[in-house]
């Protein structure tokens, strides 16, 4: 996950930094528990993709929240769930590997839904994990703005009964309520250490992965429920446009969107290509914002039949 080089026994390079903390935190929860939205709120910038559709996060995207007291490096994972496909199994394995490597775990439980079998499944996984390697776990009641006080109190009591947590805290990433407190609480469990990343860095994901995620997010907006699992995005090429003036560069970006069936391809493209144009416009704006320059986005939709069940295809698509 990251090595802490050049520190003394206290994790400090010099006296001024003796009280500073830095390390890795992971947010877990069932799909659509508000993990990506909370990551973005904690960091103060869009680094993880958010979608109203569950199961949208595929890559481990790190967000970095730096304060005068601590540097919290957030690792956002796919939702832990009972796997039904090879992809599902790989996503779960990825989560478990990540959990063993971080300094503190945030378990997200949305306040607008009662803790259910999915939450109990994760609670058991965390209990098992802690028997292997002791890790502090903070239970976070996300989406606290969506319920009244009584409902929230009930939810917090239900969370308490799910397991033995180091702390329980409610917050709303959307309204910003208690987000700073969540950041400070998670940071309090980090080891003493100097900063692991320079100031101003908010994610260590390569641009190519961020671009793929932005296209994926735009492609998922407002489509049917069967699509999220079936959608993979690969950035094929990123090259500066030749002959552009130095003060107005442009980047040509070629992206392939893969689905599993021709019927899904039709959904992504839309009638007369209208949906794909919309996806292109929305993701191009987000990519230009990310890169700070003009972009020409060339989008193609392709069918990779049943790729989620085919190890070779999964590898080719980056899983």
């Amino acid at each position: 996950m990251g090595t802490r080089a050049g520190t003394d026994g206290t994790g400090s390079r010099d006296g001024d930094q003796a009280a500073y903390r830095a390390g890795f935190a992971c947010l877990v929860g069932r799909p659509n528990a508000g993990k990506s939205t909370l990551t973005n709120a904690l960091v103060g910038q869009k680094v993880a993709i958010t979608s109203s559709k569950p199961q949208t996060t595929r890559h481990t995207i790190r967000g970095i929240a730096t304060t005068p007291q601590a540097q919290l490096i957030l690792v956002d994972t796919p939702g832990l769930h009972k796997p039904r496909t090879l992809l599902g199994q790989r996503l779960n394995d990825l989560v478990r590997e990540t959990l063993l490597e971080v300094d503190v775990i945030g378990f997200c439980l949305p306040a607008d839904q009662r803790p259910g079998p999915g939450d109990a499944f994760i609670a058991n996984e965390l209990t098992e994990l802690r028997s292997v390697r002791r890790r502090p776990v903070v239970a976070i009641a996300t989406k606290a703005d969506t319920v009244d006080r009584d409902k929230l109190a009930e939810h917090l009591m239900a969370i308490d009964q799910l397991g033995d947590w180091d702390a329980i805290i409610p917050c709303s990433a959307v309204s910003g309520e208690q987000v700073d407190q969540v950041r400070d609480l998670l940071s309090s469990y980090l080891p003493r250490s100097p900063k692991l990343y320079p100031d101003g860095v908010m994610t260590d994901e390569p641009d190519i992965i961020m671009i793929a995620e932005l296209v994926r997010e735009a492609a998922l907006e407002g489509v049917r429920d069967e699509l999220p699992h079936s959608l993979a995005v690969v950035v094929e090429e990123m090259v500066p446009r030749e002959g552009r003036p130095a003060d107005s560069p442009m980047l040509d970006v070629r992206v392939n969107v893969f689905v599993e069936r021709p019927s899904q391809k039709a959904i992504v493209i839309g009638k007369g290509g209208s949906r794909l144009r919309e996806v292109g416009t929305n993701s191009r704006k987000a990519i230009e914002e990310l890169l700070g320059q003009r972009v020409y986005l060339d989008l193609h939709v392709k069918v990779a039949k049943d790729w989620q069940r085919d190890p070779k295809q999964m590898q080719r698509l980056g899983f």
Side-chain angles (χ1 to χ4, degrees), residues 38-52:
L38 181 56
T39 296
N40 290 331
L42 289 166
V43 175
Q45 178 188 313
K46 187 167 190 163
V47 289
I49 74 162
T50 55
S51 167
S52 55

Side-chain angles (χ1 to χ4, degrees), residues 211 234-239 251-256 295-300 302:
I211 288 167
V234 176
V235 178
E236 295 291 338
E237 191 176 52
M238 282 170 65
V239 289
L251 197 64
D252 285 316
V253 180
R254 196 158 63 82
V255 176
N256 286 334
V295 164
Y296 176 79
L297 182 62
D298 186 17
L299 269 186
H300 297 270
K302 300 186 173 188

Side-chain angles (χ1 to χ4, degrees), residues 160-225:
D160 188 37
Q161 285 165 4
L162 261 187
D164 181 22
W165 317 121
D166 292 83
I168 301 174
I169 184 169
C171 78
S172 165
V174 171
S175 72
E177 189 187 343
Q178 292 248 105
V179 170
D180 289 352
Q181 286 86 338
V182 170
R183 189 188 58 225
D184 294 345
L185 181 58
L186 290 171
S187 297
S188 71
Y189 293 100
L190 301 178
R192 302 229 184 262
S193 163
K195 286 174 188 167
L196 302 174
Y197 287 90
D199 286 342
V201 174
M202 290 184 174
T203 178
D204 74 349
E205 280 296 342
D207 288 341
I208 201 162
I209 288 179
M210 293 292 288
I211 288 167
E213 289 289 279
L214 290 168
V215 172
R216 202 173 129 69
E217 177 179 38
L220 284 175
E221 266 319 297
V223 295
R224 282 181 227 167
D225 292 342

Side-chain angles (χ1 to χ4, degrees), residues 246-299:
D247 60 349
S248 177
M250 182 180 264
L251 197 64
D252 285 316
V253 180
R254 196 158 63 82
V255 176
N256 286 334
V257 177
F258 290 94
V259 292
E260 292 192 304
R261 297 189 294 280
S263 59
Q264 294 171 335
K265 181 177 177 178
I267 293 170
V268 176
I269 292 172
K271 198 173 180 183
S274 59
R275 178 115 222 302
L276 191 62
R277 279 196 295 278
E278 197 181 308
V279 170
T281 303
N282 293 345
S283 52
R284 181 180 50 76
K285 282 180 193 159
I287 293 164
E288 287 181 337
E289 209 172 286
L290 172 75
L291 301 177
Q293 71 170 93
R294 286 188 65 193
V295 164
Y296 176 79
L297 182 62
D298 186 17
L299 269 186

Side-chain angles (χ1 to χ4, degrees), residues 37-207:
T37 310
L38 181 56
T39 296
N40 290 331
L42 289 166
V43 175
Q45 178 188 313
K46 187 167 190 163
V47 289
I49 74 162
T50 55
S51 167
S52 55
K53 300 277 180 287
Q55 250 345 91
T56 51
T57 308
R58 286 278 171 77
H59 291 281
T60 306
I61 294 181
R62 299 179 180 88
I64 302 161
T66 304
T67 68
Q69 294 76 37
Q71 187 172 71
L72 182 70
I73 299 151
L74 287 147
V75 184
D76 190 25
T77 64
L80 254 180
H81 60 295
K82 286 183 177 164
R84 288 192 300 272
T85 63
L86 179 62
L87 175 66
Q89 187 57 58
R90 286 213 183 151
L91 293 175
N92 271 6
D93 292 345
L94 176 70
V95 178
R96 289 192 192 96
E97 276 168 39
T98 305
L99 294 180
L100 285 168
E101 293 175 345
V102 298
D103 300 300
V104 58
I105 296 162
F107 179 16
C108 297
L109 298 107
D112 60 349
Q113 297 165 42
R114 281 186 178 170
D119 299 303
F121 173 77
I122 295 166
N124 291 338
E125 290 274 314
L126 291 174
T127 303
E128 212 169 289
L129 186 90
R130 293 170 92 178
S131 66
V132 178
R133 193 176 300 180
R134 172 81 186 131
R135 282 287 174 272
V137 177
V138 174
I140 305 167
T142 55
K143 309 185 185 183
D145 60 311
T146 60
V147 295
D148 60 29
R149 268 192 173 176
D150 292 344
K151 273 264 163 40
L152 185 58
E154 268 175 46
H155 186 62
L156 294 172
M157 285 192 287
I159 290 173
D160 188 37
Q161 285 165 4
L162 261 187
D164 181 22
W165 317 121
D166 292 83
I168 301 174
I169 184 169
C171 78
S172 165
V174 171
S175 72
E177 189 187 343
Q178 292 248 105
V179 170
D180 289 352
Q181 286 86 338
V182 170
R183 189 188 58 225
D184 294 345
L185 181 58
L186 290 171
S187 297
S188 71
Y189 293 100
L190 301 178
R192 302 229 184 262
S193 163
K195 286 174 188 167
L196 302 174
Y197 287 90
D199 286 342
V201 174
M202 290 184 174
T203 178
D204 74 349
E205 280 296 342
D207 288 341

